[in-house]
Amino acid sequence: MGWAAVAYLVDFIQGLDDAPAENTEGGLELARRLRSSPPELGGDWDELLDQVKEAVARTFEYSGPGYLAYVPGGGLYTAALAEFVAQGVNRYTNLWQPSPAVVQIEQNVVRWLCDLFGYGPQARGLLTTGGSLANLSAVVTARHARLGEDFLDGTYYVSEQVHASVTKACTIAGFSKRNLRLVPTDAELRMDSDELRKMIRADRAAGMRPFLVVPSAGTTNTGAIDPLEAVAAAATDEGLWMHVDAAYGGFFQLTERGRDSFRGIDLADSVTLDPHKGLFLPYGTGSLVVRDGEALRQAHYEGAAYLQDLAPEGELPNFSEYSPELSRDNRGLRVWMPLKLHGVAAFREALDEKLDLSRHLYEAFVQDPALEVPWRPQLTVIPFRLAGGDDEANQAFLRRINASKRVFLSSTMIHGRYTLRVCIVSHRTHRDRIDECIEIVSKAAAES
């Protein structure tokens, strides 16, 4: 059974270059056919694997070179092998005593993430399911550190371009929309730090307690990078916790251009970044690092008598004391093994390639008179529209592009306008597919 599964995965990965970037036609009908309860008696492995193959084939091709929608995930094969091992041996890693050496492997990853931002030995971090859970833990930590138990007069500040997971996290953490402040953005869709200061002071004068600001190191809409140094200065002056949502952009910190663009990120109290984006790992791999590890622990720790036989934190962390989770999967291997096997330089080179590809595509788009390209890419997202076209025309434009099946793009709304976007992240996307994307977009625009 195992060999059959591995053989399927090898064939699947080898076929990604030729696979359609989107292949959902008939997917809903297949879903209806697959609706069933488990049988009383066992079934046949080959038959079950065939059903999985059929289901996988009727999807967006997230792992392929032509998937340029939303923020692509990677699906790195070596991470899948690491996950196979991790799930097979089934070791528990949220408390250190049951599996000390396995916990050390995960702690190696967390320490490396902290080092990326110059965090000292007091820092702590987590591997999470993704940016949503990381942002939630960051918000809860900021709330606990800055507001205490009575927090309903707290106000938090995000830009108009913030990811929805941030405001969702604040809602789950007990804050209503009355506590939310949307900071205006500049012409490049970056948070206006002067307006931020004015809003903080106005709220404090009105009897509110400003406690948190969340700038972005790469927004999902356009890849915009908020002015992190200026926002950090405002946060320091006004006593706010600064959490940076770098779920999409964070691993560009590995590159020289990324570090230059992210100046001031090392001043953040906490940072979210997603290995399942910038490290090309399978979905379900996020992370959070916090400068003051004890603040993270104080916001999450709950003792339990039934855990009294297990050792307290010492040389190794008890990750459960820093997280909402007690039981969870072993996430460390699927990050650590690829990093050790390929080396950090391989990831840096891949990310640098994505920055180069984004600028190449942007330069091609701005030379096409049929396209409106409002913003130069700050990372690897390129928003564009059909020049002179209304929203309906741009919707049809996107459909023509995606009908190629060679690339798959998505859209968003920016300042009330329907806008297409390309997001280049996958390690399997190279110059040949981007040149093909340019040709497909140009042809679709000419047909308008």
Side-chain angles (χ1 to χ4, degrees), residues 393-409:
N394 276 282
Q395 290 171 18
F397 181 34
L398 179 61
R399 288 194 293 271
R400 288 194 299 276
I401 294 168
N402 288 343
S404 72
K405 301 288 187 178
R406 294 293 295 165
V407 297
F408 184 70
L409 313 186

Side-chain angles (χ1 to χ4, degrees), residues 108 129 153 187 279 307 346:
N108 291 344
T129 57
D153 57 351
L279 289 185
L307 298 176

Side-chain angles (χ1 to χ4, degrees), residues 52-98:
V52 171
K53 293 178 184 179
E54 191 177 8
V56 167
R58 297 296 174 184
T59 62
F60 296 170
E61 192 41 82
Y62 318 94
S63 299
Y67 187 80
L68 306 171
Y70 308 103
V71 179
L76 191 65
Y77 179 63
T78 50
L81 294 178
E83 184 68 1
F84 176 76
V85 172
Q87 296 293 345
V89 300
N90 194 36
R91 292 298 180 261
Y92 178 73
T93 58
N94 236 15
L95 295 166
W96 74 262
Q97 187 179 1

Side-chain angles (χ1 to χ4, degrees), residues 5 56 72-73 81 95-96 113 136 140-141 149 165 237 242 265 292 305 314 340 348-349 368 378 388 390 392 415 430:
V56 167
L81 294 178
L95 295 166
W96 74 262
L113 294 173
L136 176 59
V140 169
T141 303
E149 296 297 322
S165 66
D237 291 346
M242 182 170 110
I265 197 169
D292 180 357
K340 294 285 282 188
R348 180 181 299 110
E349 290 166 8
D368 189 334
Q378 297 176 44
D390 59 15
E392 185 175 343
H415 296 329
H430 303 297

Side-chain angles (χ1 to χ4, degrees), residues 1-74:
M1 290 187 291
W3 287 118
V6 170
Y8 159 59
L9 286 177
V10 170
D11 289 343
F12 170 81
I13 290 169
Q14 290 177 340
L16 283 173
D17 278 352
D18 297 322
E22 185 276 332
N23 194 39
T24 56
E25 185 176 354
L28 185 56
E29 290 78 6
L30 175 60
R32 291 167 181 153
R33 294 202 305 273
L34 290 178
R35 285 176 187 162
S36 64
S37 300
E40 186 68 23
L41 301 177
D44 178 75
W45 172 259
D46 290 336
E47 180 182 339
L48 292 172
L49 187 58
D50 285 343
Q51 291 180 2
V52 171
K53 293 178 184 179
E54 191 177 8
V56 167
R58 297 296 174 184
T59 62
F60 296 170
E61 192 41 82
Y62 318 94
S63 299
Y67 187 80
L68 306 171
Y70 308 103
V71 179

